[in-house]
Amino acid sequence: MASKRYAKRSTIEAYLFWIAAYIRFNNMQHPSSMGDTQVELYLNHLVNSQNVAQGTQAQALNALSFLYKEIIKCPLSLSLNFVKSERPRKLPVVLTQTEVSMLFKYCMAKHYLACALLYGSGMRLMEVLRLRVQDIDFDYSCVRIWDGKGGKNRVVTLATELIPQIRTQIQLVESYLQLDLNNPLFCGVFMPHLLRKKYPNHDKQLGWQYLFPSYKLSIDPQSKQLRRHHIDEKQLQRAVKKAARDAQINKHVTPHTLRHSFATHLLQSGADIRTVQAQLGHSDVRTTQIYTHVLQQGANGVISPFSRL
């Protein structure tokens, strides 16, 4: 999976979880001794016994398809017969603009900029954390996102109000880099895929450093070299939850809530749904259309008969 450049946490760890769960469900039998029948039984079990959502069942199927196609070398049948989950997809939690303003008032200073990019540019959590200094385009007020979900690249808007803070953040990154360059054990920042071979000296250049670097150096678990990684996503998750709690927002608020709010407020302001789709990086416009349901445009456009009494 790593050689195919699957995301370590969101895909590789999830696939390993489902493969292990499948093996345990079948009393520790080796997958090579099983096939379509056992997979169908397991997918039925997820729906009938565990009542999982459509996306969860689909992820389990994708994990097992990968196992049999790429590892066992015996692909599953395209005509698997199993009960598909009919559990409805939940509408995303969206904050009002007043709630967003309140949340940012209580957001910790060191996490303010990252949270502001989540809402101001509609990025996913890991897209923000993996930003490099050179991904910020000040001339065109935009942010370039490389190898996002599904391996897609895109360009998103950048709120001009955040530019002074980003320049200050880059100065912080530069100060870290100067310290690191004086450390003989420092091996440069992590470079993605084959770029480390194509640009062997770029790992110590400012442009390639993470925009939100960790405050300390750490050992890269793959190369065993000393590097400065980006901050952990749990920091931002905790920061958003704390800010929402302190602002007394009685909703389930996560970093992804800010992305949902970005999309909804963009549609509210009159933006075309295709524009919002491009900003969010959705492959299918139907995924973006869920925000029109959040707005309840149909229901809000109807005056209740009770109001005419």
Side-chain angles (χ1 to χ4, degrees):
M1 284 188 275
S3 68
K4 290 180 177 293
R5 300 191 288 186
Y6 286 12
K8 182 177 184 296
R9 294 196 177 185
S10 59
T11 304
I12 294 179
E13 291 182 4
Y15 277 22
L16 292 178
F17 169 83
W18 289 117
I19 291 168
Y22 167 69
I23 293 171
R24 287 195 298 270
F25 175 77
N26 287 286
N27 299 316
M28 307 305 289
Q29 291 184 67
H30 194 280
S32 62
S33 65
M34 301 184 285
D36 291 356
T37 302
Q38 288 77 13
V39 171
E40 289 172 354
L41 289 171
Y42 180 61
L43 295 175
N44 287 336
H45 163 75
L46 291 179
V47 173
N48 297 329
S49 300
Q50 298 189 13
N51 191 31
V52 301
Q54 294 175 359
T56 304
Q57 187 188 40
Q59 188 183 61
L61 175 58
N62 290 339
L64 297 178
S65 295
F66 178 88
L67 171 69
Y68 279 96
K69 181 181 179 182
E70 304 293 342
I71 309 300
I72 307 298
K73 303 298 182 183
C74 183
L76 296 172
S77 170
L78 294 177
S79 57
L80 288 176
N81 183 22
F82 58 91
V83 178
K84 292 181 173 60
S85 174
E86 294 182 358
R87 187 169 145 193
R89 184 179 179 182
K90 294 180 180 178
L91 289 176
V93 175
V94 173
L95 303 178
T96 65
Q97 290 182 322
T98 301
E99 288 172 330
V100 173
S101 296
M102 287 296 296
L103 185 140
F104 281 119
K105 284 182 181 178
Y106 287 91
C107 189
M108 296 175 64
K110 64 179 181 179
H111 294 128
Y112 181 93
L113 179 57
C115 291
L117 287 171
L118 288 169
Y119 174 68
S121 300
M123 285 186 275
R124 299 178 178 91
L125 174 60
M126 293 309 299
E127 289 173 346
V128 169
L129 297 185
R130 289 173 180 155
L131 283 176
R132 312 279 179 148
V133 169
Q134 64 187 12
D135 295 337
I136 307 298
D137 190 328
F138 292 109
D139 295 327
Y140 289 94
S141 295
C142 65
V143 181
R144 289 181 170 81
I145 298 173
W146 304 97
D147 203 18
K149 187 175 181 179
K152 295 190 290 287
N153 305 326
R154 71 184 194 279
V155 178
V156 298
T157 187
L158 172 63
T160 54
E161 293 80 2
L162 295 177
I163 288 178
Q165 292 186 50
I166 293 177
R167 291 193 185 278
T168 302
Q169 181 68 18
I170 292 174
Q171 289 175 355
L172 174 66
V173 175
E174 190 171 15
S175 65
Y176 275 142
L177 180 60
Q178 293 305 316
L179 287 174
D180 294 340
L181 292 176
N182 292 327
N183 186 336
L185 299 178
F186 178 63
C187 294
V189 73
F190 170 77
M191 294 281 286
H193 319 313
L194 296 176
L195 289 177
R196 69 193 73 172
K197 294 180 180 179
K198 186 175 182 180
Y199 305 115
N201 300 318
H202 283 39
D203 55 4
K204 294 182 180 179
Q205 292 183 3
L206 177 61
W208 278 99
Q209 307 307 305
Y210 286 114
L211 185 63
F212 298 105
S214 171
Y215 73 94
K216 63 179 181 180
L217 296 170
S218 58
I219 299 295
D220 185 332
Q222 292 183 338
S223 66
K224 308 302 179 185
Q225 294 177 318
L226 190 67
R227 304 188 187 280
R228 188 178 295 278
H229 203 52
H230 57 67
I231 61 174
D232 190 90
E233 64 264 34
K234 291 180 181 177
Q235 284 191 42
L236 219 51
Q237 290 168 340
R238 286 192 291 261
V240 170
K241 287 184 178 180
K242 183 179 184 303
R245 188 170 59 248
D246 292 345
Q248 298 183 347
I249 298 172
N250 296 318
K251 294 178 180 177
H252 180 65
V253 182
T254 68
H256 214 66
T257 306
L258 295 174
R259 174 175 159 88
H260 292 321
S261 302
F262 163 85
T264 306
H265 297 166
L266 211 55
L267 286 170
Q268 250 176 343
S269 66
D272 180 79
I273 194 167
R274 294 289 182 179
T275 301
V276 179
Q277 177 191 1
Q279 289 283 310
L280 295 177
H282 290 161
S283 298
D284 193 329
V285 73
R286 288 177 294 182
T287 308
T288 315
Q289 284 174 337
I290 192 171
Y291 298 109
T292 63
H293 296 300
V294 175
L295 286 171
Q296 297 178 334
Q297 289 176 340
N300 284 347
V302 176
I303 299 175
S304 169
F306 187 88
S307 302
R308 298 186 185 277
L309 294 177

